[in-house]
Amino acid sequence: EVQLVESGGDLVQAGGSLILSCEAKGIAVDEHNIAWFRQAPGKEREGISYIRSSGGTSFYTDSVKGRFTISRDNVKNMVYLQMNSLKPEDTAVYYCARSTYLSGSMYWRRPNLYDRWGQGTQVTVSS
């Protein structure tokens, strides 16, 4: 059974940093396309970062470029999201997700292309 388990969410002050972790069970992270999404209250789920299985190429939505970094550890079978210079508008529940449908990177922001999701971890950034 495929499972994704997020951890690392916390309450942090603006300007601070957090590292989110996504533990993959039942799959090898380097063989699958993995993304981080977030969802704030009253808003749609937003794709913020994506790492391709092939080559490990990474992508970011504009609002987090230069502040967030996605990475993976193939030995630990984990995917991470390093978040720096956090802002109050980064407050959301963060999810990692796996896609078996994406063959490239054009549509990585679309939640409906992901078939496995974690339970989410709450990130709250205070001003």
Side-chain angles (χ1 to χ4, degrees), residues 30-89:
D30 59 338
E31 296 178 0
H32 293 264
N33 299 314
I34 306 288
W36 283 96
F37 285 76
R38 67 186 179 188
Q39 189 164 21
K43 294 189 176 182
E44 293 186 351
R45 193 163 294 191
E46 174 191 23
I48 56 172
S49 188
Y50 168 67
I51 185 165
R52 290 187 64 185
S53 58
S54 176
T57 310
S58 56
F59 301 85
Y60 302 90
T61 196
D62 286 347
S63 63
V64 307
K65 279 181 184 176
R67 300 189 298 124
F68 291 11
T69 303
I70 191 170
S71 63
R72 68 186 182 205
D73 185 323
N74 298 338
V75 174
K76 295 183 179 179
N77 213 34
M78 303 278 285
V79 177
Y80 302 99
L81 186 68
Q82 171 73 53
M83 305 189 297
N84 298 327
S85 303
L86 284 161
K87 305 175 182 180
E89 51 264 42

Side-chain angles (χ1 to χ4, degrees), residues 9 12 17 21-23 30 41 44 53 57 78-79 86 95-96 99 103 105 110-112 114 119 121-123:
V12 63
S17 298
S21 301
C22 174
E23 180 184 8
D30 59 338
E44 293 186 351
S53 58
T57 310
M78 303 278 285
V79 177
L86 284 161
Y95 301 90
C96 63
S99 175
S103 59
S105 59
R110 297 187 180 183
N112 61 324
Y114 292 80
Q119 82 288 350
T121 186
Q122 176 71 47
V123 173

Side-chain angles (χ1 to χ4, degrees), residues 101-117:
Y101 305 116
L102 286 167
S103 59
S105 59
M106 185 177 297
Y107 303 110
W108 69 267
R109 292 180 181 84
R110 297 187 180 183
N112 61 324
L113 296 181
Y114 292 80
D115 59 326
R116 285 292 185 271
W117 294 82

